């Protein structure tokens, strides 16, 4: 089956993002205002539709540090976003670490990809809600399925924590 593009349907939501984020450009750009004591979440709205294949792609415009402590993934939105808990530290978030290529879930890491995105790279998330899977793309290249057995209610999420980190949502069509 062909993937559905979510071109223009998603945006960072200020009411579902930690106050350390400045959301600009119509919700397509999130900038970390200052270093945090941990990473902070910025959720995208609307929720991922409950059926079909859906894609969101991010441009890492500024990684804050060369080590790229940015995580992108999906979550149920039930973690304490405004209080400062990042999605990857909760039992309701599944994130790809741009720093080390690991799957992060419930503050535990497991090896996933040797491809480490850095400043200027694109990271895509393909969620198949019929198969309940999450696949990661780096600069358009598939990295394989990272998560299976996802729940039915999800949001795309970005976790960042270094001042100046700048993450842009791109209007990219979904891969076939």
């Amino acid at each position: 089956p062909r993937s559905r593009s979510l071109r223009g349907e998603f945006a960072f939501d200020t009411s579902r993002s930690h106050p350390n984020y400045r959301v600009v450009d119509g919700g397509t750009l999130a900038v970390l205002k200052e270093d945090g004591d941990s990473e902070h979440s910025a959720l995208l709205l609307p929720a991922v539709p409950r059926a079909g294949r859906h894609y969101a792609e991010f441009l890492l415009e500024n990684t804050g540090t060369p080590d790229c402590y940015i995580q992108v993934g999906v979550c149920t939105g039930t973690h304490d976003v405004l209080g400062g808990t990042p999605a990857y530290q909760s039992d309701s978030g599944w994130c790809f670490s741009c720093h080390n290529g690991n799957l992060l879930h419930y503050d535990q890491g497991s090896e996933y990809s040797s491809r480490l995105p850095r400043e200027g790279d694109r990271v895509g998330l393909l969620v198949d809600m019929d198969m309940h899977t999450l696949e990661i793309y780096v600069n358009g290249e598939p990295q394989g399925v990272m998560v299976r057995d996802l729940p039915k209610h999800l949001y795309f999420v970005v976790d960042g924590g270094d001042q100046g980190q700048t993450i842009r949502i791109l209007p990219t069509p979904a891969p076939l």
Side-chain angles (χ1 to χ4, degrees):
R2 208 176 142 85
S3 296
R4 178 175 161 216
S5 170
L6 293 178
R7 173 171 269 168
E9 289 188 31
F10 289 104
F12 290 110
D13 178 44
T14 55
S15 71
R16 300 289 309 257
S17 297
H18 188 272
N20 196 17
Y21 280 100
R22 184 170 50 95
V23 176
V24 295
D25 286 354
T28 63
L29 186 69
V31 180
L32 265 293
K33 295 187 262 186
E34 55 190 46
D35 285 337
D37 53 354
S38 177
E39 282 83 11
H40 303 288
S41 291
L43 272 65
L44 281 64
L45 287 182
V48 176
R50 292 181 182 225
R53 293 165 46 118
H54 308 284
Y55 188 73
E57 187 172 63
F58 302 92
L59 173 64
L60 307 179
E61 287 189 2
N62 182 339
T63 58
T65 68
D67 292 329
C68 195
Y69 291 100
I70 296 172
Q71 291 71 231
V72 295
V74 293
C75 67
T76 62
T78 57
H79 65 287
D80 187 8
V81 174
L82 299 178
T85 302
Y88 78 85
Q89 287 183 355
S90 75
D91 63 351
S92 62
W94 298 264
C95 293
F96 171 67
S97 169
C98 296
H99 169 68
N100 60 20
N102 285 350
L103 158 64
L104 300 177
H105 172 67
Y106 210 19
D107 210 16
Q108 299 296 313
S110 56
E111 287 187 22
Y112 167 66
S113 174
S114 61
R115 184 70 194 270
L116 305 179
R118 294 298 184 250
E119 194 163 286
D121 286 337
R122 296 174 290 116
V123 180
L125 308 174
L126 179 62
V127 175
D128 186 326
M129 293 302 283
D130 299 326
M131 299 298 291
H132 305 281
T133 59
L134 171 62
E135 183 173 3
I136 306 299
Y137 287 74
V138 177
N139 293 325
E141 296 177 18
Q143 304 300 298
V145 172
M146 184 174 80
V147 181
R148 298 181 190 285
D149 300 320
L150 287 169
K152 293 182 185 223
H153 186 76
L154 294 171
Y155 296 90
F156 288 113
V157 65
V158 171
D159 287 341
D162 293 322
Q163 182 176 9
Q165 285 178 333
T166 306
I167 303 104
R168 182 177 299 278
I169 303 168
L170 296 174
T172 305
L176 296 178

